[in-house]
Amino acid sequence: MLRIVTFAGLLVLAAPSGAQEAPKTPQAPQVPDQPPEKALEAAVAADWPRFDHGGKGHLTPDEFSSWLITLRTQSNGAGEDPAKLRAWADSAFVQADGDADKRVSPEEFTAFLRSKLKK
């Protein structure tokens, strides 16, 4: 659970309130002697089995949404409108699915989160 809380720091995005509002950019957690990119890769690898049901090597839209919603809830707390939260996660899935094959690989998920890191 500590990993998920630390990982949640990567995904502090704006509340889902429509397409016109840009998401806040998350910051990677500070890990001594480890660049943010490596911390991100390690966090994805550590928590991947929790969300990749059946060990398929990819996330379905539901698995991806579950992970993002878990991260967001850890970061922002409960209370967001579930329908808006799901729409936000569904939109993020489309962004993360780089090859548009309706599934997200660990590499695609890492690249998606990396794109959200504050530069």
Side-chain angles (χ1 to χ4, degrees), residues 2-113:
L2 180 57
R3 269 195 319 265
I4 212 73
V5 172
T6 301
F7 192 39
L10 296 171
L11 205 61
V12 180
L13 301 176
S17 62
Q20 66 272 30
E21 186 173 319
K24 289 188 242 174
T25 305
Q27 295 181 11
Q30 297 302 315
V31 177
D33 301 323
Q34 190 171 20
E37 293 80 18
K38 290 295 180 189
L40 177 62
E41 290 170 13
V44 169
D47 287 331
W48 186 267
R50 181 175 173 200
F51 295 94
D52 177 14
H53 304 150
K56 306 171 299 305
H58 66 270
L59 299 176
T60 65
D62 286 339
E63 292 166 340
F64 178 89
S65 293
S66 176
W67 197 343
L68 283 193
I69 290 168
T70 297
L71 292 173
R72 188 168 179 125
T73 301
Q74 290 289 331
S75 294
N76 297 349
E80 293 188 60
D81 179 313
K84 288 182 180 180
L85 196 54
R86 181 60 191 223
W88 165 79
D90 289 347
S91 174
F93 180 85
V94 172
Q95 294 173 34
D97 184 14
D99 59 7
D101 65 353
K102 304 286 189 224
R103 53 191 193 176
V104 172
S105 68
E107 296 79 17
E108 287 174 320
F109 192 61
T110 302
F112 168 75
L113 293 175

